[in-house]
Amino acid sequence: MKRSKSSLVPLLALSAATFTTVSAEMMPSGVLHSLSSAFSITDATAGLLVTAWAGTVALTSIPLVRATLRWRRKSVILATLGLMAAANVATVLAPGYGAALAARIAAAAAHGLFWAVVVSYAASLVSPDRVGRALSIVLAGPTLASLVGLPGGSALAQILGWRATFVALAIALLVCVVVVAVAVPAVGAGSPRGRAEKWDRSAKPILLVAAGGFFALIGFYAVFTFIVPVSDAIAGIDAAAMPGVLLASGIGGLVGVLAAGRISDRWPTAALPITVLALAMTLVGMGIARSPIAYVALVAVLGGVIGVLPVVLQARVMRAAPEQFRDTAGSILITVLNLGIGAGAALGSAISASASPTALPFLAAAIAALAIIPLAALPSSSAARRREEVLR
């Protein structure tokens, strides 16, 4: 397919797929109590359905990408969506917690492979100067999942039960299979294994960018996972007011992801380190805010920054990786980012247990700022600098 600027419909189809897959990923959080009641387990045990998902993605993404290198990329996307639909049906039919956990692990493996491929596929649909904008469309899906998908699924579960929610997810995933099959053109074929697996000089900047994302996400999730006690301790915002705080964060995230494409395309080199610095500064601001209004405004800014970060991060990787290495690069990135998310939540838990929540934003900011170290070590790109000057 000839790359052009007229790729909006395929990109929207991929965005619908990312919306649905991330809704499926997050849904146990929205129906946690219903799941624990249905399987006669504690909420903490039911929460392992979320933990196991992240761990599975981190462990399986790279091996599965390597195992499917000979497949056409569109076929991989369609297969993973179909497998996730089947896994959601298996969750509905699960007679006990063990079967439900196994179904979730299968869905998570498909999800990790899907995400390793979908970003590089979206980048392949457009010209290099529009990669950021293409990714901002595709990555709007996860933001909308948190704003619409999770609350909607939770509401459906309250009316019809949690199984109805997972049936709806399975149907939505099958619809995405049809939409992607019809609306998204086939781009590229499976690569010969030897050529595709060769680690060339592009691997170094990819690993450096992934390391930067790792530290940034530790900082973000250390605070965001414990946003309820942090908000109460710093600004006196109790749990009853948290829906408004989370809404502000979600709106900020949507604005951020929509703006991120132009930011990334306008400043392909500078966008990522500036975003990381903005993240660290916003966390510091949250730590010193005492007015609830100022605090909520900073939470909205934090949402905006974390909306920008995935786009500029993945766009930087897609620009650094040669086309035959993009899927492997995507699998490296999703693995490292999931590790960062898990490490951030663990750090937040440790700090919350041993110190006042008011200290958490400052420690998180310091860790997020560490991302500048690997990013500063990125090889210079004179072509990227010339591009920034032209676009200015």
Side-chain angles (χ1 to χ4, degrees):
M1 174 191 169
K2 182 180 178 181
R3 290 171 181 160
S4 69
K5 296 182 179 180
S6 57
S7 300
L8 181 60
V9 172
L11 292 172
L12 288 174
L14 293 176
S15 184
T18 63
F19 166 81
T20 309
T21 61
V22 173
S23 295
E25 175 187 10
M26 297 189 301
M27 198 55 66
S29 298
V31 297
L32 195 66
H33 186 64
S34 297
L35 284 169
S36 61
S37 297
F39 293 127
S40 301
I41 55 176
T42 65
D43 285 350
T45 302
L48 291 176
L49 294 172
V50 177
T51 306
W53 185 289
T56 301
V57 170
L59 289 173
T60 63
S61 294
I62 294 177
L64 287 176
V65 164
R66 311 292 268 186
T68 58
L69 282 172
R70 294 183 186 273
W71 296 18
R72 296 184 67 89
R73 300 295 87 190
K74 182 176 177 180
S75 297
V76 173
I77 291 174
L78 294 174
T80 52
L81 291 171
L83 286 170
M84 287 191 69
N88 275 275
V89 172
T91 304
V92 172
L93 300 176
Y97 175 72
L101 181 60
R104 289 289 294 176
I105 289 172
H111 178 83
L113 178 57
F114 168 82
W115 270 98
V117 174
V118 73
V119 171
S120 64
Y121 202 90
S124 72
L125 293 174
V126 297
S127 56
D129 63 319
R130 297 179 68 84
V131 167
R133 274 165 278 196
L135 296 188
S136 71
I137 293 171
V138 173
L139 296 177
T143 302
L144 288 173
S146 63
L147 280 173
V148 179
L150 183 59
S154 180
L156 179 62
Q158 290 179 9
I159 299 171
L160 298 177
W162 69 268
R163 295 182 193 274
T165 297
F166 282 88
V167 168
L169 285 169
I171 293 171
L173 285 162
L174 291 175
V175 170
C176 286
V177 171
V178 175
V179 170
V180 170
V182 172
V184 179
V187 178
S191 300
R193 185 172 297 273
R195 179 186 172 196
E197 289 190 350
K198 182 180 179 181
W199 282 60
D200 56 22
R201 293 180 180 179
S202 68
K204 179 181 177 181
I206 289 163
L207 293 173
L208 290 171
V209 171
F214 174 74
F215 287 115
L217 287 181
I218 288 177
F220 174 76
Y221 278 96
V223 169
F224 197 75
T225 305
F226 295 90
I227 192 68
V228 174
V230 169
S231 300
D232 191 12
I234 293 175
I237 299 174
D238 60 20
M242 284 311 298
V245 176
L246 295 176
L247 178 62
S249 174
I251 293 172
L254 183 59
V255 172
V257 76
L258 293 177
R262 293 189 177 276
I263 293 170
S264 178
D265 291 341
R266 178 84 158 76
W267 299 285
T269 301
L272 181 54
I274 289 175
T275 301
V276 167
L277 286 174
L279 173 63
M281 292 173 63
T282 304
L283 289 169
V284 171
M286 289 174 61
I288 62 178
R290 291 298 179 266
S291 163
I293 294 175
Y295 181 86
V296 172
L298 284 165
V299 170
V301 173
L302 184 69
V305 172
I306 207 63
V308 171
L309 181 64
V311 176
V312 298
L313 194 65
Q314 298 195 68
R316 186 68 183 268
V317 166
M318 291 300 106
R319 290 188 174 103
E323 194 156 350
Q324 70 271 16
F325 193 64
R326 279 182 167 179
D327 290 347
T328 299
S331 65
I332 292 169
L333 190 59
I334 193 171
T335 297
V336 173
L337 297 187
N338 272 274
L339 291 173
I341 292 169
L347 175 67
S349 178
I351 297 301
S352 296
S354 61
S356 169
T358 57
L360 195 51
F362 299 108
L363 179 60
I367 293 174
L370 291 176
I372 294 299
I373 297 174
L375 296 180
L378 282 167
S380 61
S381 171
S382 58
R385 287 196 298 270
R386 286 197 300 270
R387 174 162 187 72
E388 287 184 16
E389 291 170 2
V390 170
L391 291 174
R392 286 194 189 98

